[in-house]
Every structure is written in C-alpha cells, then in structure tokens.
C-alpha cells in the first residue's frame, strides 16, 4: 500500500488516523452551513486513495450473471437522467470516542463530526440496472439475484489487500424512491479523490459504510456480499458480547442508522459568558424518517424545551413536507439562560417516535458503533 499520492486536505480537519486517512471537521466548522463544504466533509478511508487519471478509459463492470457483464463508461452514465439528492452521510463510528470512555472499544476514534450533508449528483442506480434488463421494483431476478454488490478499486488490509466492498438489497437498488445514486458530483463539483472520484454509490439513510467509493464493479448476487465490512464489522452487538464470545454470523449487517443528534456549538467542556447562550447542532434519522422533534435540557435531562428546527435558513422544518429534504439532517437551535454551571443535553425524536437512548452503557458494543446516546456537554459561566 502506498500513501505517497494522497490528495491535499484542509489544515483545520482533525486527523483521527493518518494512514489510512481518517479526519473530521471541528464542531463549529460542521455547522457553518446546512450543505457541508467538501473540504469540511469527514473523510473515512480503509486504504490509500486510488488514482484514476484516465477518465475516458475508466469503466465499471456490471455483472448480472456470471459470464454476462457489461462495461459502463462515464459517458454511458452521464447520458442517463441526472438527479441531485441532498443526503446526510454518517459513519456508523460517529461518536465512538465517547463510547470508548465508558468501556474500551475497537476502532478509529471519532468525536461528533463523522457526518456531513451534501448535494450528490448522479444517475439513479435503478436506471442503471434498468439498462441491463432489471426493471424497477425487482426483489429477485429470474436467476435468483437478490443483492447488489459494490466493489471498489481501493485496497485495504481488512480484505487482505483486496478491495473494499458492500451490498444492498436488490429491492432497494431498483426502487427509484430510495434514491440510491451512482454519484459523480458532490455539491455541484465533480467528486474529489477523497470522496470517490470518479464514481461512488450513495445510499441515503443508511450507514456510510454501504456507500462504496471508487467503483470498480457492480454485481447482482444471490446472497449478501461476504466481504469483511458486511460480515465482520458494522454489526450491532449487545453489551454482553466481547472478543472471546463473539459470533459474527448471529447478527445482521447494519443498514439504516438510528435517530441521532448532537450539540455542535459547544465543546465537551466550555466556559461561556453570563447571559443567554445559543445551543446549536444537528439531528438526523435513517431510512428517510424525518425529525419530529428536538429536545434540549440545561439541567442534565430533568426538564426539556423544544428547539427550533430548520434545513434552509429561516424556514421552519416540517418532517415529510414536500419542501423538506427527506434524506438530510436538520439543524436545531435553542436559546437558554444557564446557571453558574450546567449540563446541556440534546435528544431527537424521529417521525416513527424513535428516541435516542439516555445512556451509553445500554447500547455499548465492542466495535463502538451507533453511539446515539443523549449528547451532553458541560458549561460553566466565566468571564
Ligand atoms: N468505500 C471504499 N471504497 N473504501 C472505504 O474505505 N469507507 C466507507 C464508505 N465507502 C470506504 C468506502 C465508510 S466506513 C464510510 S463512513 C464512507 O465511505 C465515508 O465516505 P466519505 O469519506 O466520503 O465521507
Ligand atoms: Mo464508516
């Protein structure tokens, strides 16, 4: 593996691991805009960033049956109707550092910014599959295909030097409403190398791990992808499971992410001026479930007030409204007078009335994924 050809990155990113490169923006950089600037979008890699320098020759092989594959060039993909989908990508490991403070977990440490919201541009996977004879809303092909596997051109050590890969159900891939994209643009610009140039998958509402970057091939297969990141990682275990008694096959590959929120206008411990403070952050849920409510407490969770929610500045957010972005986070904002010292807490509720769990211990798991416990910060009034 070779890290001599890594792209340039913004100096203000916080580097959690250098090789492979894993970095997140500061809390305040994360909430400066609803659409996360590419330079402040978290970067989560498992190997060196591949170099694709001949875009004319680059192609993705689409394999419907063994011995029946079609090469798709960028010009073929550019010809399909172009969609833009505003979708939040969140790593399952977001907020892992806090979980590891409760009990040690394995994995790259992340604060609360392994998440970002972008306007992805590209072709719908459902349209690409239609090109090769798989109609919309197919859950099983004639030859028994039920999953769509995405294989990358990168190389990672977890796959013993092989490529990163993942799969999603065929029913989701062929559902145009699921908005699964083969994206070539991010925020109106061609994807950059860190985020999957020239072509990546974006699976809205699902943990970031399934949005495979730097596509090499797409395969219709009978069973779920057997790669490391589907079978030996990114699964949610109960708190009793440890590295001696783990049985990976007993659990599902995580797909949708649960309801999440975090305060970004304050650090874990902050000193603030006397008077009113503004509490700001993000809330999002998986599976296209909108955010119904965001509750903020300034007394450690004894009493709560409801925060204002918005996507576009100035317009109150209403879940499921035709003007809201279904796959995207909401920003929340609340003002509060705080006593000398306070523990500020946030929790969100999605449209299915799913709520975030109060404690980390109740959801602790050995890989430290899906830490969606109430987010707490401490403030003290100073000068
Ligand atoms: N795709 C490839 N090929 N290699 C990777 O290491 N990481 C995955 C996913 N797709 C990964 C990948 C994970 S775990 C996440 S969270 C997202 O990409 C991160 O996407 P980003 O770096 O564009 O934010
Ligand atoms: Mo991830």
């Amino acid at each position: 593996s070779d890290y001599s050809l890594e792209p340039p990155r913004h100096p203000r990113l916080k580097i959690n691991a250098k090789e492979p490169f894993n970095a997140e923006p500061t809390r305040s950089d994360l909430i400066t805009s609803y659409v996360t600037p590419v330079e402040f979008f978290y970067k989560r890699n498992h190997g060196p960033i591949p170099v694709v320098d001949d875009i004319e020759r680059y192609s993705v092989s689409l394999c419907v049956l063994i011995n029946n594959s079609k090469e798709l060039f960028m010009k073929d993909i550019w010809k399909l109707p172009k969609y833009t989908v505003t979708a939040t990508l969140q790593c399952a490991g977001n907020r892992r550092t806090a979980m590891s403070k409760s009990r040690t977990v394995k994995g790259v440490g992340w604060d609360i910014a392994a998440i970002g919201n972008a306007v992805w541009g590209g072709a719908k996977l459902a349209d690409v599959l239609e090109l090769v004879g798989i109609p919309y809303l197919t859950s099983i092909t004639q030859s028994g295909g039920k999953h769509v596997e995405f294989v990358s051109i990168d190389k990672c050590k977890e796959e013993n030097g092989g490529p990163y890969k993942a799969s999603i159900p065929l029913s989701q891939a062929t559902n145009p409403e699921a908005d699964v994209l083969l994206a070539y643009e991010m925020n109106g610009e061609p994807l950059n190398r860190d985020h999957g140039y020239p072509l990546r998958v974006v699976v809205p509402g699902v943990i970031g791990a399934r949005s495979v970057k730097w596509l090499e091939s797409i395969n219709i297969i009978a069973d779920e992808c057997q790669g490391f990141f589907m079978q030996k990682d990114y699964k949610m275990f109960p708190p009793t499971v440890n590295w001696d008694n783990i049985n990976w096959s007993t659990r599902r590959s995580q797909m949708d992410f649960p309801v999440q929120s975090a305060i970004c206008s304050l650090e874990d411990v902050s000193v603030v001026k006397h008077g009113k403070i503004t509490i700001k952050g993000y809330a999002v849920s998986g599976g296209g479930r909108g955010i119904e409510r965001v509750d903020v407490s300034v007394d450690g969770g004894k009493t709560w007030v409801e925060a204002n929610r918005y996507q576009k500045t100035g317009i109150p957010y209403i879940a499921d409204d035709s003007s809201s972005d279904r796959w995207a986070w909401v920003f929340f904002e609340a003002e509060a007078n705080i006593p000398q010292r306070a523990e500020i807490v946030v929790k969100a509720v999605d449209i299915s009335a799913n709520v975030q769990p109060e404690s980390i211990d109740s959801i602790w798991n050995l890989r430290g994924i899906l830490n969606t416990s109430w987010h707490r910060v401490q403030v003290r009034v100073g000068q």
Side-chain angles (χ1 to χ4, degrees):
S1 54
D2 182 4
Y3 289 96
S4 66
L5 298 168
E6 295 286 286
R9 282 123 180 176
H10 198 284
R12 228 164 40 234
L13 287 177
K14 294 190 287 179
I15 299 174
N16 298 324
K18 212 165 168 248
E19 296 180 349
F21 188 78
N22 286 287
E24 66 187 300
T26 63
R27 293 180 182 189
S28 60
D29 283 337
L30 185 65
I31 52 157
T32 48
S33 87
Y34 167 67
V35 174
T36 312
V38 173
E39 60 192 356
F40 291 139
F41 203 98
Y42 78 100
K43 288 142 184 59
R44 205 298 176 235
N45 299 302
H46 290 84
I49 309 303
V51 181
V52 175
D53 45 24
D54 191 344
I55 192 72
E56 314 249 287
R57 281 179 49 199
Y58 168 83
S59 69
V60 180
S61 52
L62 229 161
C63 184
V64 179
L65 288 166
I66 305 174
N67 301 327
N68 171 10
S69 78
K70 180 183 161 70
E71 289 301 317
L72 274 177
F73 291 85
M74 285 309 296
K75 63 171 171 34
D76 304 318
I77 294 163
W78 288 327
K79 252 185 243 152
L80 290 167
K82 180 183 169 183
Y83 291 88
T84 54
V85 176
T86 305
T88 297
L89 211 62
Q90 178 176 210
C91 182
N94 192 26
R95 303 184 58 202
R96 178 179 285 132
T97 299
M99 185 172 277
S100 69
K101 282 177 185 155
S102 163
R103 244 202 295 163
T104 307
V105 300
K106 220 179 250 182
V108 176
W110 296 94
D111 185 44
I112 62 175
I115 187 168
N117 187 48
V119 182
W120 306 97
K124 280 200 187 178
L125 179 59
D127 291 345
V128 173
L129 294 176
E130 211 185 26
L131 274 186
V132 290
I134 303 173
Y136 281 2
L137 304 176
T138 299
S139 49
I140 180 164
T141 63
Q142 276 166 357
S143 51
K146 290 206 292 285
H147 298 265
V148 182
E149 178 182 61
F150 311 113
V151 184
S152 165
I153 53 185
D154 63 350
K155 306 262 171 290
C156 47
K157 64 173 190 313
E158 292 87 345
E159 293 284 9
N160 302 310
Y164 186 97
K165 53 189 176 181
S167 68
I168 61 168
L170 183 63
S171 54
Q172 185 176 10
T174 57
N175 181 357
E177 304 262 292
D179 287 336
V180 180
L181 291 187
L182 295 192
Y184 44 81
E185 281 181 10
M186 184 177 182
N187 299 351
E189 299 283 324
L191 280 179
N192 76 7
R193 288 182 55 213
D194 262 325
H195 296 290
Y197 178 82
L199 193 66
R200 79 173 302 168
V201 187
V202 172
V203 190
V206 164
I207 62 165
R210 312 309 177 210
S211 291
V212 176
K213 305 191 269 189
W214 314 292
L215 278 176
E216 156 96 30
S217 64
I218 299 173
N219 307 308
I220 311 301
I221 52 179
D223 300 309
E224 202 175 80
C225 163
Q226 294 301 302
F228 179 90
F229 300 99
M230 288 292 285
Q231 303 303 333
K232 297 277 169 76
D233 201 353
Y234 297 116
K235 290 187 175 187
M236 178 70 152
F237 284 90
T240 49
V241 171
N242 57 49
W243 293 105
D244 298 321
N245 65 17
I246 189 165
N247 180 353
W248 286 98
S249 66
T250 58
R251 298 287 155 182
R252 302 160 48 86
S253 309
Q254 187 68 35
M255 299 305 282
D256 287 4
F257 54 78
V259 59
Q260 174 74 289
S261 67
I263 298 162
C264 299
S265 55
L266 294 160
E267 297 301 317
D268 280 345
V269 179
S270 304
V271 178
V272 298
K273 290 203 193 83
H274 183 78
K276 262 202 167 76
I277 66 160
T278 305
I279 302 154
K280 279 178 155 181
Y282 64 79
V284 65
S285 191
R289 288 177 289 277
I291 292 295
E292 176 65 19
R293 204 176 83 217
V294 179
D295 299 328
V296 171
S297 169
V298 294
D299 57 11
K302 288 198 226 26
T303 62
W304 301 87
V305 293
E306 194 175 341
N308 294 320
R309 288 165 283 121
Y310 57 93
Q311 287 180 327
K312 282 109 199 166
T313 321
I315 306 165
Y317 163 88
I318 302 162
D320 275 356
D321 192 80
S322 60
S323 68
S324 64
D325 291 322
R326 180 166 171 228
W327 305 109
W329 64 12
V330 304
F331 278 176
F332 68 83
E333 195 170 317
E335 287 201 322
N337 269 310
I338 51 159
Q340 202 53 34
R341 279 171 189 284
E343 182 175 73
I344 305 184
V345 193
V346 66
K347 65 178 165 80
V349 180
D350 73 16
I351 56 163
S352 303
N354 293 308
V355 296
Q356 294 177 243
E358 177 172 350
S359 79
I360 289 187
D361 293 328
S362 62
I363 51 166
W364 183 93
N365 62 91
L366 74 176
R367 277 292 279 111
I369 63 163
L370 307 179
N371 180 10
T372 55
S373 60
W374 295 0
H375 186 228
R376 300 165 192 270
V377 296
Q378 316 296 325
V379 299
R380 179 169 63 76
V381 174
Q383 34 292 9

